[in-house]
Amino acid sequence: MKFGKLPNIENIDFQLPLDASSNEQLLGRHTPTASPTLFVGCTGWGMKEWVGTVYPKGAKAKDFLQYYTRQFNTIELNTTHYRIPTLETIHKWKTAATEDFHFCPKIPQPISHSRDLGLSKDQIMIFCEAIQGLEANLGYSFMQLPPYFGYDRLGILEKFLAFFPNTIPLAIEVRHESWFSNPQHLVDLTDLLQEHHTAFVITDVAGRRDVLHQKLTQPVTMIRFVGNNLHPTDYQRIDEWIAQLKIWFEKGLQSAYLFTHEPDNIKAPDLAAYVVQQAQQLIPNINIRGPKFNNTTNGQMSLF
């Protein structure tokens, strides 16, 4: 993930912003669940570098997804950003997954990066029909709007949300500075997302602290966390996130998705394991699972 990456992070204030005041009212409409779910995952499963650690020694590429779904309970499915999967591919993914696993497919670029968000063509429905084949394994789909998609295009987003099937859970990520530079623009966006039962993606990345907006629009949130090669601040930031999630769960948040990004994503499982470890320690009755790594010393799997 190149968005917001910096060559030097020494002078970055990584502290989480204050909780948005609107969250109290939104979460107050929901009864806190006795066992909230935290989905933790990475952005792909095709990492040969994980063989022998995340995947068993000698694992073949054709089996990577099956092993991945037994190590994590979700994935930021970037492959759908570049092509709509065939029904055969969807069936293979679903067959490989565990019962509790959630795919979070990214909406294809021909939709998210088109002038009218795909409304003049049939790709939205083709994509939705395809991913609905995941059935219970379908988590939140999400649309990553391009950096040039600003507040002046709010009306287009409104038309898209009105058209998008309400049977498919959806989250939206915005990047243009105009959404955040004017407080009213952010209010207009969050009101629109609430109206259409759409989650608001929170992105935690060094070079764009404005996209760390801390606003909830649903009793579900999606956090895209961009680390810096397991720098000590990665762990400090995760500690803050677990504390924040604990507060939100206690107030009525039902579930959350947290995706760990690291350079080349080779070390993303290490950070995911830390997320799970901290959440299990600090959030009572959390429903979560994450990677156990191969211990090459004794051949057993052990927690990070």
Side-chain angles (χ1 to χ4, degrees):
M1 182 174 175
K2 296 180 180 179
F3 171 75
K5 291 289 287 181
L6 294 176
N8 189 324
I9 62 169
E10 296 307 317
N11 295 318
I12 300 300
D13 180 4
F14 281 113
Q15 185 173 0
L16 286 181
L18 295 176
D19 198 353
S21 58
S22 58
N23 293 343
E24 187 90 25
Q25 182 179 7
L26 183 141
L27 293 177
R29 303 182 196 130
H30 304 274
T31 302
T33 179
S35 182
T37 301
L38 179 54
F39 293 95
V40 181
C42 305
T43 63
W45 62 76
M47 305 294 293
K48 64 181 184 301
E49 292 86 354
W50 293 353
V51 174
T53 52
V54 181
Y55 302 151
K57 184 178 180 180
K60 304 299 183 185
K62 65 181 180 63
D63 299 319
F64 282 1
L65 176 57
Q66 181 177 351
Y67 292 129
Y68 179 95
T69 70
R70 284 147 182 81
Q71 289 281 54
F72 304 90
N73 59 359
T74 191
I75 188 167
E76 181 183 307
L77 192 57
N78 281 320
T79 184
T80 57
H81 195 45
Y82 304 103
R83 66 188 66 85
I84 297 176
T86 64
L87 295 180
E88 179 183 9
T89 297
I90 290 289
H91 178 72
K92 288 181 179 179
W93 290 348
K94 180 174 174 54
T95 301
T98 57
E99 185 176 340
D100 66 338
F101 185 85
H102 279 193
F103 292 92
C104 289
K106 188 182 292 187
I107 288 179
Q109 274 189 345
I111 298 171
S112 63
H113 286 52
S114 67
R115 179 176 294 275
D116 65 349
L117 297 180
L119 290 169
S120 61
K121 298 182 179 180
D122 57 0
Q123 290 174 312
I124 296 174
M125 297 313 300
I126 294 173
F127 171 72
C128 290
E129 288 172 5
I131 63 172
Q132 281 181 317
L134 292 168
E135 299 177 340
N137 291 118
L138 176 61
Y140 265 68
S141 182
F142 73 103
M143 182 161 69
Q144 184 181 85
L145 291 170
Y148 52 81
F149 193 101
Y151 176 77
D152 60 318
R153 304 183 72 184
L154 181 67
I156 298 173
L157 179 59
E158 183 175 12
K159 291 178 181 178
F160 173 86
L161 294 176
F163 179 81
F164 195 84
N166 58 17
T167 54
I168 296 179
L170 178 66
I172 297 290
E173 180 188 51
V174 297
R175 297 182 168 189
H176 194 274
E177 291 85 349
S178 63
W179 298 106
F180 309 102
S181 59
N182 185 321
Q184 186 58 49
H185 292 179
L186 196 56
V187 170
D188 292 345
L189 175 59
T190 54
D191 285 351
L192 178 64
L193 296 180
Q194 285 189 52
E195 179 185 348
H196 290 278
H197 308 290
T198 301
F200 194 2
V201 175
I202 301 172
T203 305
D204 188 341
V205 62
R208 280 291 303 277
R209 304 310 286 167
D210 55 345
V211 296
L212 187 62
H213 52 76
Q214 299 301 90
K215 282 187 172 288
L216 304 175
T217 56
Q218 290 295 294
V220 178
T221 190
M222 180 180 288
I223 301 157
R224 304 182 72 233
F225 183 97
V226 184
N228 295 288
N229 207 29
L230 301 184
H231 187 274
T233 55
D234 289 1
Y235 298 102
Q236 295 165 11
R237 292 159 64 197
I238 290 297
D239 290 346
E240 278 201 70
W241 265 116
I242 298 302
Q244 180 64 77
L245 286 169
K246 182 176 186 294
I247 292 171
W248 284 344
F249 284 137
E250 290 172 347
K251 291 183 177 181
L253 189 71
Q254 305 295 294
S255 60
Y257 293 86
L258 195 156
F259 299 109
T260 57
H261 297 247
E262 289 288 345
D264 300 321
N265 283 320
I266 294 173
K267 296 181 180 180
D270 297 74
L271 196 61
Y274 184 75
V275 172
V276 173
Q277 171 188 297
Q278 295 302 98
Q280 289 175 328
Q281 290 182 5
L282 299 175
I283 304 177
N285 303 315
I286 187 74
N287 178 21
I288 193 173
R289 65 178 177 86
K292 297 181 179 181
F293 298 121
N294 284 313
N295 186 325
T296 55
T297 301
N298 56 25
Q300 300 295 315
M301 300 292 279
S302 61
L303 279 174
F304 169 74

